């Protein structure tokens, strides 16, 4: 018996799609992947090179240990982006209604109340002001063990930085579907 109900009772059931979906050619998929990696490596390298003088000036201005400077830069990268986007752009966007046409409709019970936002802000405060600094300071030796250079070391050559950005992109791809051919380029 090969009826769908009989097949679904089988422990080795594997649904078949008929007709099979039309997949894009492999050259299209690989070309899109190459473009994403190239774009991220290019943007990351350019941003790193543009920000390098400001970083070096900050490093020479602050007379602190390498471990403390590492901790401060982790805090700036982690908390800075959080507060710029969540505490800045997204809050103002919500207040001013700039992107209301793109928001999902929410039912009343799906909208958080004041106590939920209070809890959210308290957890963010603990994370960004206590957990992140303590973790960054404590994990400095682990980062050094795995090859993080000293803060006073010069930047790598541009092509090595581009490879590092490609490696970071690959790491992020391991559990995402960003290589799909849908979406904007």
């Amino acid at each position: 018996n090969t009826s769908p109900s009989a097949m679904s009772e089988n422990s080795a059931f594997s649904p078949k799609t008929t007709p099979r979906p039309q997949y894009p050619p492999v050259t299209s998929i690989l070309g899109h992947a190459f473009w994403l990696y190239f774009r991220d490596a290019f943007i990351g390298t350019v941003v790193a090179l543009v920000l390098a003088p400001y970083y070096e000036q900050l490093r020479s201005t602050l007379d602190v240990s390498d471990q403390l400077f590492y901790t401060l830069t982790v805090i700036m990268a982690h908390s800075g982006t959080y507060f710029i986007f969540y505490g800045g752009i997204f809050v103002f966007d919500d207040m001013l209604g700039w992107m209301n046409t793109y928001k999902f409709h929410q039912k009343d019970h799906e909208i958080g109340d004041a106590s939920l936002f209070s809890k959210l802000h308290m957890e963010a405060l603990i994370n960004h002001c206590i957990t992140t600094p303590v973790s960054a300071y404590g994990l400095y030796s682990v980062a050094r063990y795995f090859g993080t250079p000293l803060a006073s070391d010069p930047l790598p050559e541009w092509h090595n930085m581009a490879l590092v950005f490609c490696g970071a992109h690959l790491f992020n791809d391991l559990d995402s579907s960003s290589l799909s051919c849908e979406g904007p380029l």
Side-chain angles (χ1 to χ4, degrees):
N1 185 4
T2 59
S3 70
S5 61
M7 287 193 316
S8 65
E9 294 169 6
N10 182 346
S11 64
F13 170 70
S14 176
K16 305 245 187 250
T17 304
T18 306
R20 285 183 60 85
Q22 201 61 18
Y23 294 106
V26 71
T27 54
S28 171
I29 294 171
L30 292 177
H32 183 70
F34 176 79
W35 165 248
L36 291 175
Y37 278 72
F38 174 79
R39 180 195 64 187
D40 289 356
F42 178 77
I43 292 171
T45 303
V46 168
V47 168
L49 291 171
V50 167
L51 293 179
Y54 301 104
Y55 172 85
E56 290 167 6
Q57 182 181 8
L58 179 66
R59 179 65 185 128
S60 64
T61 303
L62 295 176
D63 188 24
V64 296
S65 70
D66 199 63
Q67 185 172 15
L68 185 56
F69 190 78
Y70 172 82
T71 303
L72 292 173
T73 55
V74 168
I75 291 169
M76 286 190 297
H78 182 253
S79 299
T81 53
Y82 179 82
F83 290 117
I84 288 170
F85 288 104
Y86 173 73
I89 294 171
F90 295 143
V91 169
F92 284 116
D93 173 58
D94 209 32
M95 288 172 29
L96 300 173
W98 290 335
M99 301 288 221
N100 281 347
T101 57
Y102 302 103
K103 282 180 128 180
F104 289 112
H105 174 71
Q106 292 177 306
K107 298 176 181 143
D108 289 339
H109 67 275
E110 295 174 324
I111 298 173
D113 60 359
S115 68
L116 182 64
F117 284 106
S118 166
K119 180 182 176 192
L120 170 73
H121 294 302
M122 182 55 71
E123 289 176 359
L125 187 68
I126 291 169
N127 178 20
H128 291 276
C129 296
I130 298 171
T131 308
T132 297
V134 170
S135 299
Y137 193 83
L139 291 174
Y140 172 77
S141 58
V142 175
R144 287 287 299 140
Y145 176 79
F146 284 108
T148 299
L150 292 171
S152 56
D153 287 351
L155 277 177
E157 295 292 322
W158 68 268
H159 51 84
N160 289 333
M161 282 193 289
L163 284 174
V164 168
F165 283 112
C166 285
H169 189 126
L170 177 65
F171 182 81
N172 285 334
D173 277 346
L174 293 177
D175 69 339
S176 72
S177 60
S178 67
L179 290 181
S180 68
C181 285
E182 279 109 31
L185 289 177

